[in-house]
Amino acid sequence: MFIKDNLNNILKTLPAPVKLIAVSKTKPTSAVLEAYGAGQRSFGENKIQEMVNKYDELPKDIEWHMIGHLQSNKVKYMAHFVHLIHGVDSFKTLKEINKQAVKHNRVINCLLQLKIAKEDTKFGLSLPEVENILASEEFKNLKNIKIQGLMGMASFTEDTSEVRSEFKTLKKYFNTLKQTSFNNFNLTILSMGMSGDYQIAIEEGSTMVRVGSSIFGERNYK
Ligand SMILES: *Cc1c(COP(=O)(O)O)cnc(C)c1O
Protein backbone atom coordinates (compact mmCIF):
# COMPACT_ATOMS: atom_id res chain seq x y z
CA MET A 1 0.00 0.00 0.00
CA PHE A 2 2.87 2.39 0.60
CA ILE A 3 3.50 2.80 -3.13
CA LYS A 4 -0.03 4.05 -3.72
CA ASP A 5 0.21 6.46 -0.77
CA ASN A 6 3.61 7.78 -1.88
CA LEU A 7 2.32 8.26 -5.38
CA ASN A 8 -0.76 10.15 -4.30
CA ASN A 9 1.24 12.33 -1.92
CA ILE A 10 3.56 13.35 -4.76
CA LEU A 11 0.76 13.85 -7.28
CA LYS A 12 -0.98 16.19 -4.83
CA THR A 13 2.02 18.52 -4.85
CA LEU A 14 2.55 18.60 -8.64
CA PRO A 15 1.15 21.56 -10.55
CA ALA A 16 -1.27 20.35 -13.24
CA PRO A 17 1.01 20.70 -16.29
CA VAL A 18 3.84 18.72 -14.72
CA LYS A 19 3.88 15.07 -15.74
CA LEU A 20 5.13 12.40 -13.34
CA ILE A 21 7.28 9.56 -14.63
CA ALA A 22 7.43 6.81 -12.00
CA VAL A 23 10.96 5.39 -12.17
CA SER A 24 10.62 1.66 -11.57
CA LYS A 25 14.19 0.54 -12.34
CA THR A 26 15.34 -2.46 -10.23
CA LYS A 27 11.78 -2.84 -8.87
CA PRO A 28 9.65 -5.92 -9.58
CA THR A 29 6.63 -5.91 -11.88
CA SER A 30 4.44 -6.26 -8.77
CA ALA A 31 5.56 -2.76 -7.70
CA VAL A 32 4.75 -1.37 -11.16
CA LEU A 33 1.33 -3.02 -10.97
CA GLU A 34 0.63 -1.45 -7.61
CA ALA A 35 1.33 2.01 -9.03
CA TYR A 36 -0.66 1.08 -12.13
CA GLY A 37 -3.58 0.15 -9.91
CA ALA A 38 -3.41 3.65 -8.42
CA GLY A 39 -3.76 5.11 -11.91
CA GLN A 40 -0.13 5.72 -12.89
CA ARG A 41 0.54 5.00 -16.57
CA SER A 42 4.02 6.46 -17.25
CA PHE A 43 7.04 4.54 -16.05
CA GLY A 44 10.77 5.09 -16.47
CA GLU A 45 13.58 2.56 -16.75
CA ASN A 46 17.30 3.02 -17.31
CA LYS A 47 18.21 -0.40 -18.72
CA ILE A 48 16.77 -1.46 -22.06
CA GLN A 49 16.62 -5.19 -21.25
CA GLU A 50 14.80 -4.58 -17.98
CA MET A 51 12.32 -2.29 -19.72
CA VAL A 52 11.70 -4.86 -22.47
CA ASN A 53 11.02 -7.57 -19.88
CA LYS A 54 8.54 -5.36 -18.04
CA TYR A 55 6.89 -4.27 -21.29
CA ASP A 56 6.35 -7.92 -22.23
CA GLU A 57 4.78 -8.79 -18.89
CA LEU A 58 2.72 -5.72 -18.07
CA PRO A 59 -0.45 -4.05 -19.43
CA LYS A 60 0.02 -2.55 -22.86
CA ASP A 61 -1.42 0.86 -22.05
CA ILE A 62 1.70 1.70 -20.02
CA GLU A 63 3.90 4.40 -21.55
CA TRP A 64 7.53 3.34 -21.21
CA HIS A 65 10.20 6.04 -20.85
CA MET A 66 13.87 5.21 -21.38
CA ILE A 67 15.71 7.55 -19.03
CA GLY A 68 19.14 5.92 -18.91
CA HIS A 69 22.27 6.34 -20.94
CA LEU A 70 21.83 4.68 -24.33
CA GLN A 71 23.98 2.20 -26.13
CA SER A 72 23.18 2.55 -29.83
CA ASN A 73 23.37 -1.18 -30.44
CA LYS A 74 20.47 -1.82 -28.03
CA VAL A 75 18.01 0.72 -29.42
CA LYS A 76 16.52 -1.97 -31.68
CA TYR A 77 15.13 -3.93 -28.73
CA MET A 78 12.79 -1.14 -27.65
CA ALA A 79 12.09 0.57 -30.98
CA HIS A 80 8.66 -1.03 -31.38
CA PHE A 81 7.18 0.29 -28.16
CA VAL A 82 9.19 2.97 -26.36
CA HIS A 83 7.13 6.10 -25.70
CA LEU A 84 9.88 8.64 -25.08
CA ILE A 85 13.67 8.35 -24.97
CA HIS A 86 15.04 10.94 -22.53
CA GLY A 87 18.77 10.38 -22.66
CA VAL A 88 19.83 11.06 -26.25
CA ASP A 89 23.28 12.57 -26.09
CA SER A 90 24.84 12.06 -29.52
CA PHE A 91 24.07 12.49 -33.20
CA LYS A 92 25.09 8.88 -33.72
CA THR A 93 22.38 7.69 -31.33
CA LEU A 94 19.78 9.89 -33.01
CA LYS A 95 20.63 8.36 -36.37
CA GLU A 96 20.33 4.86 -34.92
CA ILE A 97 16.97 5.66 -33.34
CA ASN A 98 15.76 7.02 -36.68
CA LYS A 99 16.95 3.89 -38.47
CA GLN A 100 15.13 1.59 -36.05
CA ALA A 101 12.00 3.75 -36.16
CA VAL A 102 11.94 3.45 -39.96
CA LYS A 103 11.99 -0.35 -39.63
CA HIS A 104 8.90 -0.21 -37.44
CA ASN A 105 7.23 2.43 -39.55
CA ARG A 106 6.83 4.79 -36.61
CA VAL A 107 8.11 8.06 -35.24
CA ILE A 108 10.05 7.80 -31.98
CA ASN A 109 9.85 10.71 -29.55
CA CYS A 110 13.13 11.82 -28.00
CA LEU A 111 14.60 14.35 -25.62
CA LEU A 112 18.15 15.59 -25.88
CA GLN A 113 20.13 15.23 -22.68
CA LEU A 114 22.20 18.30 -21.87
CA LYS A 115 25.03 18.32 -19.41
CA ILE A 116 24.36 20.76 -16.60
CA ALA A 117 26.07 19.09 -13.64
CA LYS A 118 29.66 19.76 -12.74
CA GLU A 119 30.23 16.04 -12.09
CA ASP A 120 32.15 14.18 -14.80
CA THR A 121 29.95 11.14 -14.33
CA LYS A 122 26.89 12.77 -15.87
CA PHE A 123 26.31 12.48 -19.59
CA GLY A 124 25.00 15.10 -21.96
CA LEU A 125 25.49 17.43 -24.88
CA SER A 126 26.60 21.05 -24.68
CA LEU A 127 24.51 23.81 -26.23
CA PRO A 128 26.98 24.31 -29.13
CA GLU A 129 26.89 20.56 -29.83
CA VAL A 130 23.10 20.71 -30.11
CA GLU A 131 23.32 23.74 -32.38
CA ASN A 132 25.76 21.87 -34.63
CA ILE A 133 23.38 18.93 -34.92
CA LEU A 134 20.49 21.24 -35.78
CA ALA A 135 22.54 23.00 -38.44
CA SER A 136 23.28 19.83 -40.38
CA GLU A 137 21.26 18.77 -43.43
CA GLU A 138 21.52 15.18 -42.28
CA PHE A 139 19.53 16.01 -39.17
CA LYS A 140 16.68 17.50 -41.18
CA ASN A 141 16.39 14.20 -43.07
CA LEU A 142 15.74 12.17 -39.91
CA LYS A 143 12.02 11.95 -40.47
CA ASN A 144 11.25 9.15 -38.01
CA ILE A 145 12.35 10.90 -34.86
CA LYS A 146 10.73 13.79 -33.09
CA ILE A 147 12.72 15.77 -30.57
CA GLN A 148 10.18 17.09 -28.13
CA GLY A 149 12.33 18.57 -25.41
CA LEU A 150 15.39 18.50 -23.20
CA MET A 151 16.45 16.42 -20.23
CA GLY A 152 19.07 17.13 -17.60
CA MET A 153 20.36 15.88 -14.27
CA ALA A 154 21.62 18.23 -11.59
CA SER A 155 24.66 17.47 -9.44
CA PHE A 156 24.13 15.06 -6.58
CA THR A 157 24.78 17.52 -3.77
CA GLU A 158 23.23 18.97 -0.62
CA ASP A 159 23.95 22.42 -2.03
CA THR A 160 20.48 23.41 -3.22
CA SER A 161 21.70 26.69 -4.67
CA GLU A 162 24.02 24.74 -6.98
CA VAL A 163 21.15 22.44 -8.00
CA ARG A 164 18.88 25.42 -8.62
CA SER A 165 21.47 27.19 -10.72
CA GLU A 166 21.98 24.05 -12.86
CA PHE A 167 18.22 23.81 -13.47
CA LYS A 168 18.16 27.51 -14.35
CA THR A 169 20.87 26.83 -16.93
CA LEU A 170 18.85 24.03 -18.50
CA LYS A 171 15.75 26.23 -18.63
CA LYS A 172 17.83 28.91 -20.38
CA TYR A 173 19.01 26.35 -22.98
CA PHE A 174 15.40 25.28 -23.39
CA ASN A 175 14.25 28.84 -24.06
CA THR A 176 17.07 29.36 -26.54
CA LEU A 177 16.48 26.13 -28.46
CA LYS A 178 12.71 26.61 -28.46
CA GLN A 179 13.23 29.41 -30.98
CA THR A 180 14.19 26.77 -33.53
CA SER A 181 11.57 24.49 -34.99
CA PHE A 182 11.63 21.81 -37.67
CA ASN A 183 9.29 18.93 -38.46
CA ASN A 184 11.44 16.72 -36.24
CA PHE A 185 12.36 19.32 -33.62
CA ASN A 186 9.84 21.23 -31.55
CA LEU A 187 10.52 21.69 -27.86
CA THR A 188 7.67 21.48 -25.37
CA ILE A 189 9.01 19.11 -22.68
CA LEU A 190 11.59 19.96 -20.04
CA SER A 191 12.44 16.75 -18.14
CA MET A 192 14.23 17.67 -14.93
CA GLY A 193 13.87 16.71 -11.29
CA MET A 194 14.20 13.45 -9.33
CA SER A 195 13.20 12.41 -5.79
CA GLY A 196 15.72 14.69 -4.12
CA ASP A 197 15.25 17.81 -6.22
CA TYR A 198 11.98 17.76 -8.14
CA GLN A 199 10.42 20.61 -6.12
CA ILE A 200 13.31 22.88 -7.08
CA ALA A 201 13.10 21.66 -10.68
CA ILE A 202 9.41 22.56 -10.85
CA GLU A 203 10.10 26.02 -9.47
CA GLU A 204 12.65 26.41 -12.26
CA GLY A 205 10.28 25.37 -15.04
CA SER A 206 10.27 21.58 -15.25
CA THR A 207 7.33 20.03 -17.11
CA MET A 208 8.25 16.37 -16.43
CA VAL A 209 9.72 14.87 -13.27
CA ARG A 210 11.32 11.42 -13.00
CA VAL A 211 10.73 10.13 -9.48
CA GLY A 212 11.81 6.69 -8.28
CA SER A 213 12.79 6.14 -4.66
CA SER A 214 10.18 8.55 -3.23
CA ILE A 215 7.52 6.32 -4.78
CA PHE A 216 8.96 2.79 -4.64
CA GLY A 217 11.42 3.09 -1.76
CA GLU A 218 15.20 2.91 -1.83
CA ARG A 219 16.77 0.74 -4.49
CA ASN A 220 18.82 -2.26 -3.60
CA TYR A 221 21.47 -2.95 -6.25
CA LYS A 222 22.76 -6.18 -4.76
C1 LIG B 1 17.16 6.62 -11.24
C2 LIG B 1 16.85 7.85 -12.02
C3 LIG B 1 15.86 8.75 -11.60
C4 LIG B 1 15.05 8.59 -10.33
O1 LIG B 1 15.88 8.71 -9.21
P1 LIG B 1 15.27 8.83 -7.72
O2 LIG B 1 16.30 9.59 -6.98
O3 LIG B 1 15.08 7.46 -7.22
O4 LIG B 1 13.99 9.57 -7.83
C5 LIG B 1 15.59 9.85 -12.40
N1 LIG B 1 16.27 10.06 -13.54
C6 LIG B 1 17.24 9.25 -13.97
C7 LIG B 1 17.94 9.55 -15.24
C8 LIG B 1 17.56 8.12 -13.23
O5 LIG B 1 18.53 7.29 -13.67
Side-chain angles (χ1 to χ4, degrees), residues 23 25 46 67-68 151 153 193-196 210-214 219 221:
V23 177
K25 62 189 187 196
N46 72 338
I67 63 172
M151 183 273 228
M153 289 172 86
M194 321 183 3
S195 291
R210 311 175 308 270
V211 179
S213 41
S214 291
R219 284 178 293 276
Y221 283 102

Side-chain angles (χ1 to χ4, degrees), residues 5-99:
D5 293 340
N6 290 345
L7 194 57
N8 286 328
N9 286 335
I10 292 167
L11 285 170
K12 257 190 292 191
T13 69
L14 296 188
V18 176
K19 182 160 170 164
L20 173 65
I21 311 305
V23 177
S24 48
K25 62 189 187 196
T26 79
K27 300 294 175 181
T29 52
S30 58
V32 176
L33 277 176
E34 192 172 336
Y36 181 91
Q40 181 67 23
R41 291 294 179 271
S42 302
F43 292 88
E45 291 285 335
N46 72 338
K47 297 242 161 44
I48 291 176
Q49 192 54 56
E50 185 177 348
M51 186 171 83
V52 169
N53 292 344
K54 285 175 178 163
Y55 167 77
D56 285 342
E57 284 180 37
L58 288 162
K60 292 297 173 282
D61 61 341
I62 289 178
E63 290 180 355
W64 289 102
H65 292 244
M66 176 41 59
I67 63 172
H69 185 250
L70 290 178
Q71 289 169 273
S72 296
N73 61 340
K74 293 195 177 156
V75 169
K76 57 177 178 282
Y77 301 115
M78 63 175 174
H80 56 299
F81 71 91
V82 66
H83 181 74
L84 180 64
I85 302 178
H86 291 230
V88 180
D89 66 352
S90 76
F91 199 6
K92 178 176 173 234
T93 304
L94 268 182
K95 287 186 265 188
E96 176 63 16
I97 294 169
N98 189 74
K99 185 176 142 193

Side-chain angles (χ1 to χ4, degrees), residues 2-219:
F2 77 95
I3 291 175
K4 189 174 180 181
D5 293 340
N6 290 345
L7 194 57
N8 286 328
N9 286 335
I10 292 167
L11 285 170
K12 257 190 292 191
T13 69
L14 296 188
V18 176
K19 182 160 170 164
L20 173 65
I21 311 305
V23 177
S24 48
K25 62 189 187 196
T26 79
K27 300 294 175 181
T29 52
S30 58
V32 176
L33 277 176
E34 192 172 336
Y36 181 91
Q40 181 67 23
R41 291 294 179 271
S42 302
F43 292 88
E45 291 285 335
N46 72 338
K47 297 242 161 44
I48 291 176
Q49 192 54 56
E50 185 177 348
M51 186 171 83
V52 169
N53 292 344
K54 285 175 178 163
Y55 167 77
D56 285 342
E57 284 180 37
L58 288 162
K60 292 297 173 282
D61 61 341
I62 289 178
E63 290 180 355
W64 289 102
H65 292 244
M66 176 41 59
I67 63 172
H69 185 250
L70 290 178
Q71 289 169 273
S72 296
N73 61 340
K74 293 195 177 156
V75 169
K76 57 177 178 282
Y77 301 115
M78 63 175 174
H80 56 299
F81 71 91
V82 66
H83 181 74
L84 180 64
I85 302 178
H86 291 230
V88 180
D89 66 352
S90 76
F91 199 6
K92 178 176 173 234
T93 304
L94 268 182
K95 287 186 265 188
E96 176 63 16
I97 294 169
N98 189 74
K99 185 176 142 193
Q100 297 303 329
V102 168
K103 284 189 192 164
H104 293 281
N105 194 23
R106 65 181 294 237
V107 172
I108 297 184
N109 300 319
C110 304
L111 307 179
L112 296 178
Q113 181 168 359
L114 274 80
K115 183 166 162 64
I116 50 170
K118 295 212 174 82
E119 298 156 17
D120 285 339
T121 53
K122 301 259 157 81
F123 294 99
L125 294 156
S126 67
L127 184 60
E129 284 172 331
V130 176
E131 287 168 338
N132 276 337
I133 292 174
L134 295 182
S136 82
E137 277 310 309
E138 202 181 359
F139 176 75
K140 282 159 208 153
N141 291 328
L142 301 180
K143 295 189 168 55
N144 289 65
I145 53 158
K146 185 153 201 227
I147 296 179
Q148 298 185 310
L150 303 182
M151 183 273 228
M153 289 172 86
S155 296
F156 185 69
T157 168
E158 304 278 286
D159 181 356
T160 55
S161 69
E162 174 60 28
V163 169
R164 187 178 295 280
S165 114
E166 292 173 1
F167 286 147
K168 273 192 202 300
T169 301
L170 187 56
K171 172 69 174 173
K172 205 175 65 195
Y173 295 159
F174 182 76
N175 289 343
T176 302
L177 290 168
K178 226 161 56 136
Q179 314 289 322
T180 303
S181 162
F182 301 115
N183 284 335
N184 61 358
F185 186 91
N186 184 24
L187 301 192
T188 58
I189 298 172
L190 184 52
S191 168
M192 60 183 195
M194 321 183 3
S195 291
D197 57 20
Y198 73 88
Q199 278 110 343
I200 300 174
I202 289 168
E203 285 163 17
E204 299 306 331
S206 171
T207 70
M208 191 174 271
V209 293
R210 311 175 308 270
V211 179
S213 41
S214 291
I215 297 171
F216 296 106
E218 291 302 321
R219 284 178 293 276

